[in-house]
Amino acid sequence: MPDSTLPPDHLKDSHALLSEHGYATSNTWYHGTSSALAESIARHGIKRSGDRDMQAATEKTMATIGNSFQATTEPVYLTPSKELAYYWAQQIVQKRSSRFGGHEHPVVFAATLPESLNAQVKPDVGAATLLLHDAGEAYMAYLAGIYQANNLNVPDIDLMKADRLEYLHTLGMAYINADIDAAHVAVVTAAAE
């Protein structure tokens, strides 16, 4: 039985993108999500704070325990690698499965951006707080495995002192504070390779 935490072969692209300088970037970015959201993304694009079901569940939980919930607009999280997007897709599936049950699976979307949108993609420096927790340790271990598989030194990065671009190139973490129209996105499938 294959290891479900490893990406399928058609998503393994780090060998082509990763060097001693980190991940190369272009105007094509990747977004990992759950199969439950794939149809909506294919139809409407990738929206900021796009998982309305999770937002509603969080709001309901907060109301149940007597706290108010102030929804915030999250950006669209991106990565230059299908392999890294698969990791984040697994995290979404796990989070949704613990909340809703069901049989969802990871899905990776490619977003090929026009120059005006591509210029808005930023390194996700805000991920520093996430990376300091257990979820971040798991990501760093996943990332270390990719570096090792490509015969590169594992990143040794001080998350609090790292240069902004290290979050993008070394860790493969980016975001855009804009919705991405459906015309710019497509599911990455084995047939698309």
Side-chain angles (χ1 to χ4, degrees), residues 10-11 31 33 38-39 41-42 106-111 185-190 192:
H10 73 279
L11 296 179
H31 178 77
T33 193
E39 185 178 327
I41 289 173
V107 175
V108 173
F109 276 87
V185 300
V187 172
V188 177
T189 64

Side-chain angles (χ1 to χ4, degrees), residues 12 23 38 53 56 63-64 76 79-80 103 120 125 127 138 141 143 154 175 188:
K12 292 181 180 175
Y23 280 93
D53 293 336
T64 300
V76 173
T79 178
H103 300 287
Q120 296 178 49
V125 178
L143 188 64
V154 173
Y175 74 92
V188 177

Side-chain angles (χ1 to χ4, degrees), residues 89-181:
Q90 290 179 91
Q91 302 309 300
I92 298 298
V93 168
Q94 184 177 24
K95 187 184 296 184
R96 287 182 55 85
S97 291
S98 68
R99 179 65 81 161
F100 306 119
H103 300 287
E104 301 177 18
H105 61 273
V107 175
V108 173
F109 276 87
T112 303
L113 303 180
E115 190 51 44
S116 60
L117 273 180
N118 198 48
Q120 296 178 49
V121 175
K122 306 287 184 223
D124 189 8
V125 178
T129 55
L130 164 74
L131 294 174
L132 294 174
H133 300 290
D134 290 344
E137 288 179 22
Y139 178 69
M140 294 302 284
Y142 181 84
L143 188 64
I146 291 172
Y147 271 80
Q148 290 170 333
N150 288 283
N151 299 312
L152 294 166
N153 292 330
V154 173
D156 181 21
I157 183 170
D158 180 337
L159 298 172
M160 292 301 134
K161 295 179 181 174
D163 179 88
R164 294 179 61 79
L165 289 178
E166 286 185 82
Y167 281 87
L168 175 58
H169 295 293
T170 305
L171 303 178
M173 303 179 97
Y175 74 92
I176 185 170
N177 197 15
D179 296 338
I180 302 174
D181 190 86

Side-chain angles (χ1 to χ4, degrees), residues 48-70:
R48 291 171 290 169
S49 300
D51 192 341
R52 304 287 183 236
D53 293 336
M54 283 298 290
Q55 274 193 352
T58 301
E59 186 171 356
K60 183 177 178 182
T61 299
M62 296 305 280
T64 300
I65 62 173
N67 289 342
S68 61
F69 174 72
Q70 183 67 36

